[in-house]
Amino acid sequence: MTAPDDPGSAPPDEAAALAAALGEPQWRAPRVTPLDRRLAVDRDSVEKGLASLVLTVIELLRQLMERQALRRVELGDLTDEQVERIGVTLMALEEQMAGLREHFGLAPEDLNLDLGPLGPLLPTDGSR
């Protein structure tokens, strides 16, 4: 048992004591319901949602890498061998993305988040 003067001890119900000191009615802790009771959460929807989020980030990075590679090719910074290697790598990554989208039942447009007034996260084919 700790002494009341011990700085590490706190009143058993500090919030209730504070409410009483302020003249508030009896304070009660807010009722918190478990998250799974408030949301319809099932394994498949959580898995698909997480896969969609992860694949969206990967697709964003893939498109950024592709644009950077195109810029470097246009500037003439790369050797023919480097251009070939980048092309093969980007095509392989695009194939992997298609396979993962198919595995999780996602279409390419499912990976494009709507950012409201900012527009879509990923550019559409016509705006690259």
Side-chain angles (χ1 to χ4, degrees):
M1 183 170 199
T2 60
D5 296 334
D6 181 6
S9 69
D13 191 350
E14 198 171 311
L18 180 60
L22 295 172
E24 294 294 320
Q26 180 64 33
W27 182 86
R28 291 184 198 168
R31 189 174 146 249
V32 178
T33 58
L35 185 61
D36 60 348
R37 287 188 191 169
R38 291 184 283 161
L39 298 174
V41 178
D42 63 274
R43 181 184 170 123
D44 291 337
S45 67
V46 170
E47 183 178 273
K48 188 173 180 176
L50 182 59
S52 176
L53 178 61
V54 169
L55 291 178
T56 297
V57 171
I58 292 171
E59 179 62 17
L60 176 63
L61 293 173
R62 187 193 70 74
Q63 288 186 18
L64 291 172
M65 289 175 11
E66 185 177 291
R67 282 191 227 126
Q68 182 65 25
L70 288 174
R71 277 191 210 106
R72 292 194 61 196
V73 167
E74 289 171 358
L75 290 173
D77 285 354
L78 303 172
T79 65
D80 289 343
E81 183 182 306
Q82 289 172 321
V83 171
E84 179 69 23
R85 198 170 56 220
I86 287 173
V88 168
T89 301
L90 289 174
M91 287 190 310
L93 182 55
E94 193 166 354
E95 287 176 19
Q96 288 293 324
M97 286 294 294
L100 288 168
R101 281 194 316 267
E102 184 179 323
H103 175 78
F104 289 104
L106 299 167
E109 53 273 5
D110 293 335
L111 303 184
N112 201 357
L113 300 176
D114 180 12
L115 301 176
L118 298 176
L121 175 67
L122 303 173
T124 57
D125 290 337
S127 63
R128 277 190 180 177

